[in-house]
Amino acid sequence: MLDTLKIPGRHYLNDGHSLRSWLFTKDHKRIAIMYLMSISIMFFIGGMFAVGIRFELATPQGDFVTADTYNKFFTMHGVIMVFFFLIPSIPAVLGNFLIPPMIGAKDLAFPRINLLSLYIFWIGAAFTLYSMVVGGVDTGWTFYTPYSATASNTSVVPTAVGIFIAGFSSILTGLNFIVTIHRMRAPGMTWFRLPLFVWAHYATSLVQVLGTPVIAITLVMLGVERGLGFGIFDAARGGDPVLFQHLFWFYSHPAVYIMILPALGVQSELISTFSRKTIFGYSFVAFSSLAIAVFGFIVWAHHMFVAGISTYAAMVFSFLSFSVAIPSAVKVFNWSATLYKGSVSFDTPMLYAYGFMGLFAIGGLTGLFLATLGLDVHMHDTYFVVAHFHYIMVGGAIMGYLGGLHFWWPKMTGRMYSEFFSRVSAIMVFVGFNVTFFPQFVVGYLGMPRRYHSYPDEMQVLNVMSSAGATVLGLGYVLPVLYFLYSLRRGAVAGPNPWGASGLEWHLQSPPLTENFVEVPEVINEPYEYEHSVVKEKERV
Amino acid sequence: MASDHASHGAGHVSPVSLYVTIFLALMVLTGVTVGAAFVNLGQFNFLVAMIIAVFKASLVIWYFMHVKYQSPLTRLTVATGLFFLAILLGMMLIDYSSKGFTPMPPPTDDDSVLGAPGAPPPH
Amino acid sequence: MSNAVAQADHHAHAHHPAQQHHFDTMPQQKEAAVLGMWVFLLTEILFFGGLFAAYMIYRVWYFEAFAEASRRLSLFWGGLNTAVLIGSSLTMAMAVRGAQTNKRTATVNWLILTMILGAVFLGVKVIEYQDKFANYEVPGATYNWMYHDERAAAAGGEHAAPAPGAAHRQLALSPGQLQRTTQIYFSLYFTMTGLHALHMIIGIGLMSVITWMAWQGKFDDQYYTPVEMSGLYWHFVDIVWIFLFPLLYLVERHQ
Ligand code: HEM
Ligand SMILES: [Cu+2]
């Protein structure tokens, strides 16, 4: 980097150094940083359970932990990763940090509600971690009745309370984004000039706002059944356990889009920036986000094909599940078309973006396998399903998150991380990931069920591969922690726009001022104008 | 966006008489629901009750909650809520209404499942 | 950037004291708040929606049990509460109107009246719940469907008329089935009305803060957003009840 670049004298990070100035901040950027730290801790706790799972599965016998302990391992892994890492990950960290600058606003519409959402997240996490300390839960992250309501003697209620509470943090984030995007755009920032990252977050917010309350009420019903002896899902009193699954998946299928949609948004930014081209088919990419959000609500029963729903309903949901693949495919095709004849580079964020494209495609296509009625009867509850959703959630969502973090890290901190180590880590993550999860497709197809701590001897080779890959993957995740922390003190100064990117946020100094913009900018450029000129910004009189 | 919604400063002030009229209408409709429930309309009892409830709710939304005077965006928000509620109820009905297409075993009459009815309540 | 520019931003015309720094204008701030509240209510629709979905399925499956169990609720208390709540919606609307028209005492008084009506509603709910507890109609280990009728019969002596309806209706369900499936009705009844009551308690809590703010003279015709927001919330709670009342109290009253 050039010697002339300096960290600006005044920025959001040195605007107060006391703990108080952080805990009572209303600055969306500081809240984002606190979210970043919180979910990183949760990620590593969830990761420890994954280590336990893979360690157990290295041998066919259940020799490391008992079956009961194993049940708790995969439950706590799923609960923490889904509700306390992936769902907040991109929205609460990157979205929180970037949406206001991207649309030319000084803050989110409701800064105090933003801080509140962080506190609520902490309270929810505290409940769930408490239940972990007092013995854990063994129901699976899906909490299916009747097991969760009557049979399990683990701490289901505290965990459910934690998830219930954390759900409100997610709702408040979504609400804040929706209002911000509607009401806080700078003059000239029309809907079709919004970065696709913002479109994706708008769609995500819709899902958060519409879906989360349903899981909240479902957990309430579970709670009163378990805690007070009510009988809403209790088959002994005529209740229907499958009703729980309907309500659960009404949220939890859309919830997978809460995890992936923001990553799709990051991907659009990365692809365009690092191929120096306008995104191909902007409005298609934008509307496909909305389409995914809406279609996501009408496919949920594909998780219940063998749970006793009617055959006719299964046919309808199977057909509709295919339709969600269309908007997802639109995006992948448009990214490919963007790359075509672009001047493509291989900076670290882009390495993640390449990885994302392939893994997301595999994840989506295997989703179609599973949405096929006849095939799912064979593959339901096998490792094939586990591989499917890890391709999307780890290969897609986490790759997108890391890609975005590497892309905007210089904006967030003003400094560059190690070029070399970050590439090493990106490659380790990609290779480690595939070695971990590809064998699971095979072993699942061969019939290995999920959620068991032992398996037939002939499946050991594939499982050992998986455990070995997980080691590489895990190291690939640890590495960024080291070079990111190192970069905070020693990293080269990044300057306002190290990647030569076009978004409004790159016009700010790095790290930005607390109020982002001294003057409300007026936007006169179309989005992603890489072919034409540098984006111009005019000051409003 | 700042510029295109800068119209109504103090918001719309409805006359007191309107509020009182709406209140009276809601009270009358409550009476009508109760009355209708005592008439045997067969299948239609439920329908009538729901139509009245929807009508009452609309009055509250439209006049008390000022949606009549709000931006189209507010109306869209309300409509979105109802639309997704309809998805939840409707798509669940796809399953529950077609379950009967294939015959199911009759419900059990086994009283031993739960405490026998009529057992003396614990004091 | 330079201080001169930053100050120029600080305006020709005076800011309303309630305007937050990240908004350009008061109307923008207000529009944001209104939209935010409506999006929150959107969430609330789906929150209660899950319960309505469960209700829908079970009502169809166990209609007779629902009809029987619904007759155990008091139409008098239910009807009274409906009237009280509709009345509180009127007083709430009047409170917002008071703020819109710069009438400070009127705003405060209407808000207090709304809270009183809310408290009346909750009081009636307590009476109703107590009756359910006394009759072993709370689902769970102590639930006893027969207790109500037996007690009525015992109280009236040998020749007393049977409890309203129960005996002369030909029921397809055995007492055992009723004992089980009416519990589903009461589980939903308590969850739905309980959550509704919780919303009212939160509403009253909000309103006491707002009343205090109104008393302090924090609101005027340019800035009364908090009053309006709690009004929207309160009306929503009213709407939920407008549906709960026929669904829970009036399942089948004509027999
Ligand atoms: C192309 C779109 C997709 C289709 C058609 C699809 C289809 C399916 C189907 C049919 C199942 C159920 C398999 C079974 O249990 O037998 C499933 C499971 C799952 N999918 Fe997908 N999927 C898609 C995209 C996604 C995305 C984007 C995510 C996450 C970001 C995701 C996450 C999951 C998860 C977590 C499960 C397993 C849930 C569990 O039982 O624990 N899927 N998918
Ligand atoms: Cu799904």
Side-chain angles (χ1 to χ4, degrees), chain A residues 249 252-254 256-257 299-300 302-303 388:
Chain A
W249 288 112
S252 294
H253 181 81
V256 305
Y257 292 107
V299 301
W300 77 79
H302 64 213
H303 296 272
H388 153 68

Side-chain angles (χ1 to χ4, degrees), chain A residues 182-183 240 246 300 308 310, chain B residues 1 5 91 95-96 98-99:
Chain A
H182 271 287
R183 293 289 186 237
D240 182 13
H246 271 298
W300 77 79
S310 91
Chain B
M1 240 187 299
H5 295 287
M91 301 276 302
D95 174 25
Y96 283 96
S98 59
K99 271 197 206 304

